[in-house]
Amino acid sequence: MKHIIFKTYNTFTGIILRVTLGLIFLPHGLQKTVGIYGGAGFNGTIKIFTEQLHLPAIIAFAVIMIEFCGAVCLLLGLTTRFWATAYVGLLLGIMVTTHLGNGFFMNWFGNQKGEGCQFDLLAIGIAVALIVEGGGKYSMDTHIYRKIFLRSK
């Protein structure tokens, strides 16, 4: 299992994809954990998710952790495939429960009821590519893989 999680191709594709996804989600994670960028912070976000959106507390907690810890780990290239898989699940959940009913397109001009699923599909595509590719060059996954698997041979 460790082999699957840490193995990566030594290309620039992985670093480009993981930094892109990490930078996209880090501000969202910071909104939900520490309340910057107009966010409600951890307790406020838990309250919103459980009381207004009626999500179970464990799901609310998971969303916050995926958006914050996942973004940080993607930027570091640490367990890239794990976090990319978590993002696929997160984005599919958001798309099905919230965005799909608003159509395909993002709400650029504010003339829709809410956001469509266009962004979700783009981010899912990046995450799936990371699942296939791994963290790429300059990832902690590469370092860990070399320490665990190449040293033992």
Side-chain angles (χ1 to χ4, degrees), residues 4 17-19 24 39 52 64 81 121 142 145:
I4 294 168
L17 293 170
R18 70 181 164 81
V19 168
I24 287 169
Q52 293 177 14
I64 294 168
R81 285 190 172 93
L121 293 171
T142 300
Y145 183 80

Side-chain angles (χ1 to χ4, degrees), residues 39-150:
F42 185 81
N43 291 332
T45 302
I46 291 286
K47 187 175 181 180
I48 291 166
F49 282 2
T50 57
E51 294 178 11
Q52 293 177 14
L53 300 177
H54 308 292
L55 291 173
I58 190 72
I59 299 296
F61 180 77
V63 168
I64 294 168
M65 291 301 102
I66 291 168
E67 288 193 9
F68 178 70
C69 296
V72 171
C73 286
L74 284 178
L75 290 170
L76 296 172
L78 179 61
T79 59
T80 302
R81 285 190 172 93
F82 170 81
W83 289 109
T85 303
Y87 274 107
V88 170
L90 173 72
L91 290 158
L92 284 173
I94 292 169
M95 185 170 62
V96 169
T97 61
T98 308
H99 296 160
L100 203 56
N102 300 324
F104 177 75
F105 294 103
M106 292 174 62
N107 194 12
W108 290 105
F109 304 108
N111 55 5
Q112 296 171 191
K113 181 174 82 172
E115 297 295 336
C117 61
Q118 187 176 29
F119 169 80
D120 303 320
L121 293 171
L122 286 167
I124 288 169
I126 292 171
V128 168
L130 281 169
I131 293 168
V132 172
E133 181 75 15
K137 284 187 177 290
Y138 311 116
S139 68
M140 290 183 73
D141 290 343
T142 300
H143 178 72
I144 292 167
Y145 183 80
R146 287 179 182 156
K147 285 262 190 205
I148 293 175
F149 294 102
L150 298 182

